[in-house]
Amino acid sequence: MKKIRNHIEELFKDVPKTEQSEIVKQEIIQNLEEKVMFLMENGKEEEDAINKAIVEFGDIEELKRELGVKKPDSKKANFAKLNLSYSIWGSGLLIAFFLFINFYYTPQTIWFVYPTFGLLWWPLSMYFYWQRKK
């Protein structure tokens, strides 16, 4: 019944490890193992019985709410994505501005590359911030 234990461990990975959550987890595993035994006694193969018990169990969203697990805030992820898009557009426009100024006023000296490297840190940092918020 290792498959059942692994499935329940995967479902509980976001739940903080407390005494209450461990008791609930063990109770769920015990109930699912009993369900598998019942299905096997009624003629199901072991693999089919395990899969059927897991599918009938469903998800644990309501149980997670009772145990105090909060969903990640999607508004923060949306703001992080918006910040990323602003940083890409903003740095692109500023680089284009520096490029224009460089080639219009001093075409013999290429200096726009230096502020470009500095500006590229802005979208890079926003990208990693967005990845962390997802």
Side-chain angles (χ1 to χ4, degrees), residues 50-63:
I50 290 172
N51 290 336
K52 184 173 175 105
I54 288 174
V55 167
E56 286 180 0
F57 177 68
D59 64 352
I60 61 166
E61 292 305 316
E62 185 175 319
L63 188 60

Side-chain angles (χ1 to χ4, degrees), residues 3-134:
K3 186 174 181 180
I4 290 175
R5 289 188 186 280
N6 290 340
H7 179 71
I8 297 303
E9 289 295 330
E10 182 67 26
L11 288 177
F12 274 79
K13 70 180 180 186
D14 297 336
V15 177
K17 297 215 182 275
T18 62
E19 186 178 330
Q20 181 185 10
S21 66
E22 291 299 319
I23 291 171
V24 170
K25 188 187 326 180
Q26 292 305 319
E27 190 175 311
I28 290 172
I29 290 172
Q30 182 181 2
N31 288 341
L32 286 176
E33 288 175 350
E34 289 174 3
K35 174 96 173 168
V36 168
M37 291 299 176
F38 175 75
L39 290 171
M40 287 173 54
E41 288 173 1
N42 289 332
K44 289 268 189 197
E45 294 292 324
E46 181 179 7
E47 189 69 26
D48 291 337
I50 290 172
N51 290 336
K52 184 173 175 105
I54 288 174
V55 167
E56 286 180 0
F57 177 68
D59 64 352
I60 61 166
E61 292 305 316
E62 185 175 319
L63 188 60
K64 283 182 179 180
R65 279 194 301 272
E66 289 178 16
L67 292 173
V69 176
K70 296 181 181 177
K71 287 186 178 180
D73 192 9
S74 63
K75 282 187 176 184
K76 287 184 180 180
N78 288 341
F79 281 128
K81 190 173 182 180
L82 186 65
N83 288 342
L84 174 64
S85 61
Y86 280 141
S87 67
I88 290 171
W89 281 100
S91 62
L93 289 172
L94 284 171
I95 290 169
F97 176 70
F98 287 141
L99 186 69
F100 169 74
I101 296 295
N102 183 180
F103 286 116
Y104 188 77
Y105 290 108
T106 56
Q108 66 279 6
T109 307
I110 299 177
W111 56 263
F112 80 94
V113 176
Y114 302 114
T116 298
F117 283 125
L119 277 170
L120 290 179
W121 286 105
W122 181 26
L124 183 65
S125 65
M126 289 295 110
Y127 172 74
F128 286 117
Y129 180 74
W130 172 62
Q131 284 294 320
R132 191 175 55 190
K133 292 293 180 183
K134 271 197 335 185

